[in-house]
Amino acid sequence: MEAVTHWVSCPVRYQKHFEEGDLDDFVEDHHLFALPGPAVPDINSEPLDRNRQRTAPVYQVLLDVSQFRPEDVLIQVFEGWLLVKAQHGARMDEHGFVSRSFIRQYPLPETLQRAGDLRAILCQDGILVVESKERVEVSQ
C-alpha cells in the first residue's frame, strides 16, 4: 500500500525554507521542553515512620503547560491573585503553524499574599504545580 502525502500550505515567504527538507524534520518534540520531575528519595534509604502524619499543601493549582517551554511560562503574584501566563510564537506542528497563549488568574487566600509563600514545580509530563509552602495534616 502506498502512503498518502500532501503539501502543507504555508505563507510564500516560508515555502523555500520547507522545500529544502523533509517536513518531519520541522516537527517539534514537546517532550524535550519539560523539566524533570521532583527527585524522589530511594524507598529503602529511610525507615518507614508509621506515626508520621501525611501532609498536603494549603493551596494548590495544577495546569497543563505541556505545549510550552519552561521559559515561555510566567508565574506572578499581584494584589492577592496568582497569575500564570504562557505564550509562544508560531511553531510548526503536524497540521501547520500554530501559536498559543493563555492567562489564568486565581484568587489567593489571605494567608498567601506574597510570592515567597508559594513554590512551583514543572513535572516531566508538562503539568505545572503551584502550591503553598505551608502544609496541613491530612487524616488517613
Side-chain angles (χ1 to χ4, degrees):
M1 180 185 287
E2 192 174 314
V4 177
T5 60
H6 65 280
W7 173 250
V8 176
S9 62
C10 68
V12 174
R13 64 181 175 267
Y14 296 123
Q15 286 181 358
K16 183 174 185 274
H17 175 72
F18 292 110
E19 288 172 353
E20 295 172 359
D22 185 22
L23 284 181
D24 292 335
D25 297 337
F26 301 106
V27 176
E28 293 190 28
D29 183 3
H30 295 286
H31 300 290
L32 297 176
F33 305 129
L35 295 175
V40 178
D42 186 16
I43 294 173
N44 299 326
S45 65
E46 59 183 59
L48 183 61
D49 183 5
R50 300 269 183 211
N51 297 328
R52 191 172 77 180
Q53 292 289 325
R54 287 186 50 214
T55 61
V58 173
Y59 181 84
Q60 186 178 62
V61 172
L62 302 171
L63 285 168
D64 181 2
V65 293
S66 59
Q67 301 296 324
F68 299 92
R69 296 179 179 132
E71 59 269 17
D72 295 336
V73 180
L74 178 66
I75 303 167
Q76 296 176 314
V77 174
F78 181 72
E79 294 184 356
W81 290 86
L82 170 66
L83 307 172
V84 181
K85 304 174 186 178
Q87 178 178 359
H88 72 70
R91 293 183 188 158
M92 184 73 173
D93 70 0
E94 63 271 11
H95 304 291
F97 288 97
V98 63
S99 61
R100 295 181 182 90
S101 68
F102 76 85
I103 299 174
R104 292 278 185 172
Q105 301 179 17
Y106 300 94
L108 288 169
E110 291 292 324
T111 58
L112 303 172
Q113 296 293 311
R114 296 185 349 248
D117 298 333
L118 301 171
R119 68 178 179 173
I121 302 167
L122 183 56
C123 299
Q124 247 180 331
D125 58 357
I127 301 299
L128 176 66
V129 180
V130 181
E131 63 184 16
S132 62
K133 291 180 179 177
E134 181 184 351
R135 303 182 76 79
V136 293
E137 291 184 3
V138 177
S139 61
Q140 296 184 15

